[in-house]
Amino acid sequence: MADIMNGYGSEHHMNGAHGNGNGCHNNGNTTFTDSISNSHSTSNGSNGAHRNGHLTYRNGNSTSSPKMGSHNHEPYDLICIGFGPASLAIAIALHDQKTQVRVLFLERQPEFAWHAGMILPGSRMQISFIKDLATLRNPRSKFTFLNYLREKNRLVTFTNLGTFLPLREEYNDYMAWCASHFEDCVRYGQDVVSVAPIGEKPIQSWTVTSRDIKNDQEKKLAARHVVIAVGGKPNIPKEFPQNPLNSRIIHSSEYSSAIPKLLNDKNKAYKIAVVGGGQSAAEIFNDMHSRYPNSKTSLIIKGSALRPSDDSPFVNEIFDPSRVDLVYSMPAEIRKESIIQDRATNYGVVRLELIEHLYETLYHQRLQNPSEAEWQHRIIPLREVAGVEENKLGEIHLQLKNTRTGVAETTAGFDAIIIATGYVRNAHETLLKPASRLLEGKSCQVNRDYRVQFKEGAIANNSGVWLQGCCESTHGLSDTLLSVLAVRGGEMVESIFGEEWHAANVIERSVRKYTDAIVKDIVNGLRAKDGSNGQA
């Protein structure tokens, strides 16, 4: 089963580059981008020149960058909205290819955080560590998971574990370690609100408007290219109260941070419901048993039983990076049907080991007490939520409907309800509203390289907008997952800058050939003047 990569963020800062006035670097080696250090002291050493806290490196030489937020200066080559795994993979690909471009990442969270709400004790990844942020594209990259282990002095001991599946806590630390190398290239605490074209057709750059979450100030930046990789936002079914959500109802994405605040007595006999039949719901249901040992928990699922994910070798090939070409080339109806058939690999399914563990837990209860109604932990199948009510005590009652018979019932009151109902991935539609008149169709459509399709002639060749993590309907189930990130990061860099690089290389070779010929003529002329044979 593939592992989800959603999230508009990363995790807490670990070891690596920090805003010390030296620009974005890796152990002293300068990289591709402009620094956004908040420091106003002059840079130490000779790694870069300081100008209003911003540094730019090209071939190891520092140049001052324009003041951010002004359209009177050269725009960024690339702004990535969101600094989660997708954007981090792009940053790593840019680094590995020694790209000389000015790049900025804007991130809503205050620090790097990946699935912070679902880092549960003992939870493991669902994909091999080989599908990290670099290996499948470049096994020699410094950003492989194995090199991370070596840097942390855990390579041998991890090997002794005999597993390809790291703890989720460790993989989170791996990605935080990767992100730490790009600290000076990221602005945290920035909520991007729009991406708008600048000027008239053909559009050559874009205004990216963001709001600083701390001081509520609006900032505008310009970029030739924009990547929208904001991940998914929690899906709150219409049956639940909206805007705001009841404080006793928590989405799974906030579980581990929100539940201790809501239920702060570990020994109390809380009544808790978990809604959902997928991996996240099952993990939370299982975590409750140890987190609140005296609680009564109910797992409410639509199906007749928890179903195992299919991660067998042949089926798992649907997540191979090479499969994206095949999926994208399918006729729309065939592609839609294919994705539906493969959903059991990733949606509404649970890893078999966890299913077996939960079954053993319920069996032990049956051994102690044959009356299921009196059990401490129960799985309630064939139910979907039809409504929500709150009583005078603040407890939440769920109105449930049997998915087979249609019979309705109302539950007893719960102290907390966790809804593991997935994510919605449509934030790009809101961000691109200022550019809607330029779109090829009524909604955002993308090419195979994830570039948004605009009307012919509307956008210059050296400008564009790309989408990441919201293209499942065209690029397949792997689009929102970690499995393809390493390869896709390289493809994105090639798609955005490849044509420009190739053109620059042609010009560079031509100039070098021309200058070599001039030098040769000069040398031969000097030798002829000195009476030599005139041969260079």
Side-chain angles (χ1 to χ4, degrees):
M1 176 177 175
D3 201 32
I4 54 179
M5 67 156 208
N6 78 207
Y8 184 172
S10 29
E11 171 63 270
H12 57 278
H13 307 325
M14 304 299 290
N15 297 328
H18 296 276
N20 58 5
N22 292 335
C24 190
H25 61 91
N26 300 293
N27 299 327
N29 298 319
T30 58
T31 62
F32 56 83
T33 188
D34 178 35
S35 166
I36 58 168
S37 171
N38 291 324
S39 169
H40 290 280
S41 61
T42 57
S43 65
N44 52 18
S46 58
N47 286 339
H50 194 284
R51 298 292 186 274
N52 296 325
H54 311 305
L55 304 171
T56 303
Y57 290 96
R58 284 176 170 75
N59 291 329
N61 299 317
S62 62
T63 61
S64 62
S65 69
K67 186 177 180 180
M68 292 186 185
S70 173
H71 291 167
N72 297 324
H73 300 280
E74 179 186 359
Y76 281 93
D77 295 307
L78 171 65
I79 289 180
C80 289
I81 303 173
F83 194 53
S87 289
L88 184 53
I90 293 173
I92 291 172
L94 286 166
H95 171 275
D96 287 354
Q97 297 184 26
K98 296 179 173 59
T99 309
Q100 302 167 35
V101 291
R102 298 179 62 242
V103 180
L104 180 65
F105 299 91
L106 298 175
E107 170 53 46
R108 182 175 59 199
Q109 298 189 111
E111 56 189 9
F112 192 95
W114 174 75
H115 279 315
M118 284 299 295
I119 306 296
L120 306 182
S123 60
R124 290 193 174 275
M125 295 295 294
Q126 297 161 249
I127 61 169
S128 166
F129 68 79
I130 295 176
K131 293 184 176 182
D132 58 27
L133 297 176
T135 299
L136 294 183
R137 175 183 51 80
N138 176 18
R140 296 182 177 181
S141 170
K142 71 171 289 181
F143 294 102
T144 65
F145 182 76
L146 289 180
N147 188 55
Y148 153 79
L149 291 174
R150 185 183 67 85
E151 291 287 317
K152 297 290 186 176
N153 197 32
R154 295 201 305 270
L155 181 58
V156 174
T157 50
F158 180 86
T159 302
N160 291 338
L161 290 175
T163 181
F164 281 88
L165 304 177
L167 290 170
R168 197 173 296 167
E169 178 184 10
E170 182 170 35
Y171 203 80
N172 178 63
D173 188 59
Y174 155 67
M175 288 201 288
W177 173 80
C178 290
S180 71
H181 292 76
F182 304 100
E183 293 262 314
D184 293 333
C185 315
V186 187
R187 274 188 177 179
Y188 290 102
Q190 298 297 311
D191 187 15
V192 176
V193 296
S194 68
V195 177
I198 298 175
E200 301 298 326
K201 300 178 183 179
I203 303 302
Q204 299 190 34
S205 58
W206 308 82
T207 296
V208 178
T209 303
S210 65
R211 179 181 59 84
D212 190 292
I213 293 178
K214 284 187 176 180
N215 57 32
D216 205 37
Q217 291 184 356
E218 191 174 88
K219 300 180 181 180
K220 294 181 182 294
L221 300 172
R224 291 193 300 117
H225 305 284
V226 177
V227 170
I228 300 176
V230 297
K233 59 183 179 180
N235 174 42
I236 310 298
K238 64 181 182 352
E239 292 78 15
F240 289 87
Q242 311 276 328
N243 300 321
L245 190 65
N246 187 295
S247 61
R248 291 185 176 274
I249 302 175
I250 300 169
H251 188 268
S252 58
S253 60
E254 300 178 348
Y255 168 71
S256 63
S257 57
I259 201 68
K261 299 175 184 177
L262 178 61
L263 308 179
N264 54 21
D265 186 348
K266 292 187 176 182
N267 296 316
K268 192 171 181 178
Y270 292 116
K271 293 167 291 184
I272 307 168
V274 181
V275 179
Q279 182 73 20
S280 294
E283 287 184 359
I284 290 171
F285 180 61
N286 181 63
D287 181 68
M288 286 288 182
H289 303 167
S290 56
R291 188 184 293 264
Y292 301 106
N294 298 318
S295 66
K296 297 193 71 172
T297 63
S298 300
L299 177 61
I300 301 169
I301 63 177
K302 286 184 179 181
S304 59
L306 293 177
R307 302 198 178 276
S309 57
D310 188 346
D311 58 357
S312 56
F314 290 111
V315 171
N316 214 38
E317 286 186 350
I318 68 172
F319 301 114
D320 290 357
S322 60
R323 282 295 184 96
V324 178
D325 286 329
L326 175 63
V327 173
Y328 188 84
S329 64
M330 292 177 179
E333 286 302 315
I334 295 177
R335 181 171 59 235
K336 182 179 180 180
E337 181 62 28
S338 175
I339 292 174
I340 292 174
Q341 291 177 357
D342 292 333
R343 285 181 66 85
T345 59
N346 189 59
Y347 293 107
V349 289
V350 183
R351 287 191 66 86
L352 182 59
E353 308 92 275
L354 180 53
I355 290 177
E356 292 173 338
H357 173 73
L358 291 176
Y359 193 89
E360 185 175 353
T361 298
L362 300 187
Y363 179 82
H364 184 72
Q365 292 181 133
R366 188 181 299 276
L367 177 65
Q368 300 296 320
N369 186 347
S371 176
E372 185 175 340
E374 298 177 13
W375 290 358
Q376 187 177 356
H377 309 299
R378 298 177 61 200
I379 296 179
I380 305 175
L382 301 173
R383 301 295 193 278
E384 62 181 0
V385 177
V388 179
E389 295 179 351
E390 182 177 356
N391 64 23
K392 294 181 180 180
L393 299 176
E395 296 175 331
I396 304 296
H397 297 263
L398 295 179
Q399 298 171 1
L400 302 180
K401 185 178 72 173
N402 190 298
T403 56
R404 284 184 180 170
T405 66
V407 175
E409 61 184 293
T410 300
T411 67
F414 292 107
D415 297 300
I417 297 174
I418 297 90
I419 51 175
T421 47
Y423 299 84
V424 178
R425 302 178 185 276
N426 58 3
H428 60 284
E429 296 175 359
T430 300
L431 293 176
L432 286 174
K433 277 186 177 179
S436 59
R437 61 184 173 83
L438 302 175
L439 293 174
E440 182 65 35
K442 293 182 180 180
S443 60
C444 290
Q445 303 295 323
V446 293
N447 297 329
R448 165 61 182 88
D449 64 354
Y450 305 93
R451 183 170 182 162
V452 174
Q453 297 175 0
F454 292 101
K455 294 177 181 177
E456 185 175 355
I459 312 297
N461 291 334
N462 64 341
S463 179
V465 177
W466 279 257
L467 302 183
Q468 293 284 269
C470 53
C471 305
E472 182 182 283
S473 63
T474 54
H475 289 67
L477 287 171
S478 63
D479 185 70
T480 61
L481 310 179
L482 295 171
S483 298
V484 300
L485 287 189
V487 173
R488 192 174 73 186
E491 291 177 346
M492 290 292 295
V493 170
E494 174 66 22
S495 173
I496 296 170
F497 297 114
E499 188 173 328
E500 298 174 23
W501 293 341
H502 298 326
N505 288 336
V506 170
I507 294 174
E508 183 179 354
R509 286 194 297 269
S510 299
V511 170
R512 186 181 296 114
K513 184 177 181 181
Y514 179 70
T515 54
D516 287 347
I518 293 176
V519 171
K520 183 176 181 180
D521 289 343
I522 293 174
V523 171
N524 287 339
L526 291 174
R527 287 180 174 176
K529 185 176 180 179
D530 291 340
S532 62
N533 59 12
Q535 298 297 314

